[in-house]
């Protein structure tokens, strides 16, 4: 079975979509970045480097310094699939980030999004 095409997409392209979605709902780039830092453990400079290098989504998540141990608290559906039931760990990490950005766009507070 071949891997999903999304794994080889540039994280930059996905990041731009996240920003557009957030800004349409009057949320900020800083909030999008804060979510990414929280989930992956990347610093501001590390994230910037991945965006400049156009790292693939697969490499972006596989190289994450410290995937947040509270990510398992992220529940809900993305594209009709419960994120907590996704068996492929890379796809689950991608969908966790999708879910958090959706919550941001839906107006949830950062404390709730970051599972505080």
């Amino acid at each position: 079975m071949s891997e999903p095409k999304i794994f080889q997409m540039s994280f930059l392209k996905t990041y731009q979509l996240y920003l557009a979605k957030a800004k349409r709902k009057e949320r900020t780039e800083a909030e999008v970045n804060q979510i990414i830092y929280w989930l992956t453990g990347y610093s501001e400079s590390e994230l910037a480097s991945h965006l400049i290098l156009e790292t693939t989504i697969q490499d972006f998540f596989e190289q994450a310094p410290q995937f947040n141990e509270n990510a398992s608290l992220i529940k809900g559906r993305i594209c009709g699939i419960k994120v907590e039931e996704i068996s492929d760990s890379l796809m689950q990490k991608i969908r966790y980030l999708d879910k958090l950005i959706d919550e941001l766009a839906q107006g949830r507070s950062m404390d709730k999004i970051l599972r505080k």
Side-chain angles (χ1 to χ4, degrees):
M1 189 167 132
S2 66
E3 68 180 24
K5 288 181 183 179
I6 191 171
F7 290 2
Q8 295 311 310
M9 265 181 62
S10 160
F11 183 74
L12 174 63
K13 289 182 181 178
T14 306
Y15 178 79
Q16 290 169 333
L17 294 172
Y18 292 150
L19 284 183
K21 183 175 201 168
K23 288 180 178 182
R24 276 194 310 272
K25 299 296 185 166
E26 299 181 10
R27 300 306 288 255
T28 67
E29 180 176 1
E31 290 172 311
V32 170
N33 290 349
Q34 185 180 357
I35 289 168
I36 294 169
Y37 304 151
W38 177 86
L39 186 63
T40 63
Y42 282 117
S43 67
E44 182 178 352
S45 62
E46 290 168 329
L47 174 60
S49 177
H50 281 287
L51 296 174
I52 290 167
L53 295 172
E54 294 195 37
T55 303
T56 65
I57 289 175
Q58 181 172 5
D59 288 344
F60 180 80
F61 281 101
E62 287 178 353
Q63 295 170 17
Q66 181 65 46
F67 203 77
N68 197 302
E69 61 188 26
N70 288 331
S72 63
L73 299 175
I74 302 167
K75 308 281 186 214
R77 293 182 181 273
I78 287 288
C79 302
I81 299 169
K82 290 183 177 182
V83 293
E84 61 270 25
E85 294 177 0
I86 297 172
S87 59
D88 182 286
S89 65
L90 176 56
M91 184 60 78
Q92 187 176 50
K93 289 175 181 178
I94 294 166
R95 296 304 182 197
Y96 279 154
L97 183 52
D98 290 346
K99 181 69 179 154
L100 295 177
I101 299 299
D102 278 358
E103 291 176 3
L104 180 69
Q106 291 166 356
R108 287 189 88 181
S109 73
M110 286 302 288
D111 281 349
K112 287 185 179 179
I113 294 169
L114 303 181
R115 307 309 192 252
K116 292 186 178 175

